Amino acid sequence: MILNYVYFGISILGIFLFFFIFKKIFKKLQTKLDKLDRNVLFKNKEVAKLFRFITPRREKHILKFATRTIRIGFSIVFLVLYLPFVFKFIPETKEIADTIFSYVLKPVHFVVDGFLEFIPGLFFILVIVFATKYLLKFLKYLTGELEREAVRLEGFHADWAKPTFNLIRIVIIAFAAVVCFPYIPGSGSDAFKGVSIFFGVLFSLGSTAAISNIVAGVVITYMRPFKVGDRVEIGNTVGDVTERSLLVTRVKTIKNLDVTVPNSTILGNHIINFSKNAAEEVGVILHTSVTIGYDVPSGDVIQALVKGAKNTQMILDKPEPFVLVKSLDDFYINYEINCHTKHPEKSAVIYSYLHESIKNELHNAGIEILSPHYSAIRDGNVLTVPPENVPKDYVKPGFKVGNFNIGG
């Protein structure tokens, strides 16, 4: 009996000795950590790129926190396992020690038994994971061949390959997860089911807009209204497509602004693609209108407009520019000049050159542009063209009152 108390005392001393040595070890470890001036865990180049925000100082704090956590965890485990062993030496506390041991061993048995039962399911999950992995690798290889057009499928466009692979990959991974789900430990418990339902409801309520954008993104992919690099007009936004995803499309405007357009918005608007037919022989037609008075012969106006269009940079000579008489208005005739270009992405600059060129040609021909229509009263008004373009024999008219001419 006395020997048991001696063992009990030695065991208590063992606790103090353990914590004394434990403190010394971790104190020494903390001292080494304080002297760290470079990354240890994140020194690998690939890891460093992934965790750029982990500086040596931050890594030091992370390691010190991890060290304290390990120290506390080991201390608790030691006390939980060692104290029941100590109390077994005294008859008065032996029953308490056995009870504590049963409490400790119960979760241990649960974990060990659960793991042993999980082993067959683990092998099944591993088979599904490897089969899914290599199936996706094969599909990725096939996608690359379709993108390079090394393999061709009738009716299947090369730009469909990548988005189609992404959709199929999601379906395959979801199917694999559903197949593996029953073999996950605890998947049949009420708690697991409750959490799954909660996250399902949360996802369905919070992702309505996202899902509509994804569906729209899929539809747009197979509609093929544009591709990256095309000059497009979506609603009131005009610019070049810089990025396409299942959720949004990014457009860089001519003012160098980045506009993010949700795919559902694109699907609900008309889409104008300026680049799709630009590579063809006739290119894309640009057009603008001018208004000229009824006193000017239409042939002179058309000749001046065509000449101005031909003298404009980035306008094609063939097919030749042509003019349409759009309307006969109250004070003037509306003429529309149409010309071809293969550079629709530079339409703003081309329009600027075109307007300048046709203005100069009309002035050189002595033709005034009546827009806005300020020439409702012709008598007494000078031609609105530059002085050097006014005919030499031109005489400024005066106001006519009856048979009298004032100011002529």
Side-chain angles (χ1 to χ4, degrees):
M1 181 66 69
I2 296 175
L3 192 59
N4 288 340
Y5 283 102
V6 172
Y7 288 153
F8 176 77
I10 294 172
S11 301
I12 295 296
L13 291 175
I15 294 175
F16 288 104
L17 181 62
F18 171 81
F19 279 105
F20 177 77
I21 297 172
F22 209 54
K23 183 179 179 181
K24 289 287 185 183
I25 293 172
F26 277 92
K27 189 176 181 180
K28 190 174 182 181
L29 188 59
Q30 289 281 356
T31 304
K32 287 187 176 182
L33 290 176
D34 288 333
K35 294 179 181 179
L36 278 180
D37 58 353
R38 58 187 175 83
N39 284 351
V40 177
L41 298 178
F42 299 91
K43 62 182 179 181
N44 184 277
K45 290 183 178 180
E46 294 183 0
V47 177
K49 287 181 181 179
L50 189 62
F51 298 97
R52 293 180 181 178
F53 61 93
I54 303 294
T55 61
R57 186 177 65 85
R58 288 175 178 168
E59 184 182 2
K60 185 191 299 184
H61 289 307
I62 292 172
L63 290 174
K64 290 176 75 173
F65 175 76
T67 303
R68 286 194 295 269
T69 304
I70 292 171
R71 179 181 176 182
I72 294 170
F74 268 105
S75 300
I76 293 172
V77 171
F78 172 76
L79 291 174
V80 169
L81 296 177
Y82 190 74
L83 285 177
F85 170 76
V86 172
F87 290 135
K88 272 196 170 185
F89 288 114
I90 303 175
E92 292 82 0
T93 57
K94 187 176 181 181
E95 187 176 348
I96 298 173
D98 292 337
T99 304
I100 295 174
F101 256 124
S102 65
Y103 291 156
V104 172
L105 292 176
K106 188 174 181 180
V108 173
H109 284 304
F110 177 79
V111 172
V112 173
D113 293 341
F115 179 76
L116 293 175
E117 291 177 2
F118 173 61
I119 288 176
L122 177 62
F123 280 105
F124 182 83
I125 292 174
L126 290 176
V127 170
I128 296 297
V129 168
F130 277 103
T132 304
K133 178 182 177 181
Y134 287 103
L135 176 60
L136 292 176
K137 280 190 173 182
F138 169 74
L139 291 176
K140 188 175 182 180
Y141 168 76
L142 182 60
T143 299
E145 296 299 307
L146 288 170
E147 275 189 311
R148 291 191 296 271
E149 296 188 348
V151 176
R152 294 187 179 183
L153 298 176
E154 186 177 353
F156 190 91
H157 301 278
D159 56 340
W160 285 354
K162 192 170 183 179
T164 302
F165 168 71
N166 290 332
L167 291 174
I168 294 175
R169 180 174 61 179
I170 292 171
V171 172
I172 291 174
I173 292 174
F175 180 76
V178 170
V179 172
C180 293
F181 180 80
Y183 297 92
I184 299 174
S187 60
S189 65
D190 294 335
F192 199 95
K193 291 177 182 177
V195 171
S196 302
I197 293 171
F198 171 75
F199 280 109
V201 172
L202 193 66
F203 178 79
S204 62
L205 292 176
S207 62
T208 305
I211 291 174
S212 66
N213 282 322
I214 291 172
V215 173
V218 173
V219 174
I220 291 170
T221 296
Y222 292 99
M223 282 173 55
R224 303 179 70 237
F226 53 78
K227 62 180 183 295
V228 173
D230 283 355
R231 169 62 61 87
V232 297
E233 180 180 342
I234 303 171
N236 296 323
T237 303
V238 180
D240 300 321
V241 178
T242 57
E243 181 186 343
R244 282 176 53 191
S245 66
L246 283 178
L247 289 172
V248 297
T249 297
R250 301 189 192 281
V251 178
K252 186 178 181 180
T253 69
I254 59 176
K255 301 298 184 183
N256 204 31
L257 300 175
D258 187 73
V259 180
T260 301
V261 186
N263 285 333
S264 58
T265 302
I266 296 175
L267 199 60
N269 273 292
H270 64 277
I271 305 168
I272 301 175
N273 191 328
F274 298 99
S275 303
K276 191 168 186 178
N277 300 328
E280 296 180 359
E281 187 177 352
V282 298
V284 176
I285 296 178
L286 301 182
H287 59 87
T288 188
S289 296
V290 293
T291 52
I292 309 296
Y294 282 94
D295 56 331
V296 183
S298 295
D300 295 345
V301 177
I302 292 173
Q303 184 179 358
L305 291 176
V306 171
K307 187 177 179 181
K310 286 184 176 180
N311 292 336
T312 303
Q313 299 180 39
M314 292 178 282
I315 293 297
L316 299 176
D317 293 329
K318 296 292 182 179
E320 287 192 359
F322 60 93
V323 177
L324 299 176
V325 179
K326 289 190 67 178
S327 63
L328 303 175
D329 297 317
D330 292 337
F331 305 103
Y332 46 68
I333 301 174
N334 192 341
Y335 297 89
E336 181 185 83
I337 175 68
N338 295 266
C339 44
H340 302 257
T341 182
K342 289 191 175 182
H343 302 280
E345 72 282 358
K346 298 180 180 179
S347 58
V349 176
I350 296 174
Y351 272 122
S352 177
Y353 293 152
L354 179 62
H355 292 151
E356 180 68 20
S357 182
I358 62 177
K359 176 183 73 68
N360 293 337
E361 291 300 329
L362 290 171
H363 285 171
N364 290 337
I367 300 171
E368 61 180 340
I369 302 174
L370 302 182
S371 184
H373 44 88
Y374 52 82
S375 56
I377 301 175
R378 178 74 267 170
D379 291 339
N381 286 350
V382 182
L383 284 175
T384 55
V385 297
E388 63 270 16
N389 299 124
V390 177
K392 293 181 180 179
D393 58 349
Y394 175 76
V395 177
K396 176 183 175 182
F399 286 103
K400 293 180 181 180
V401 181
N403 295 324
F404 298 96
N405 190 358
I406 301 174

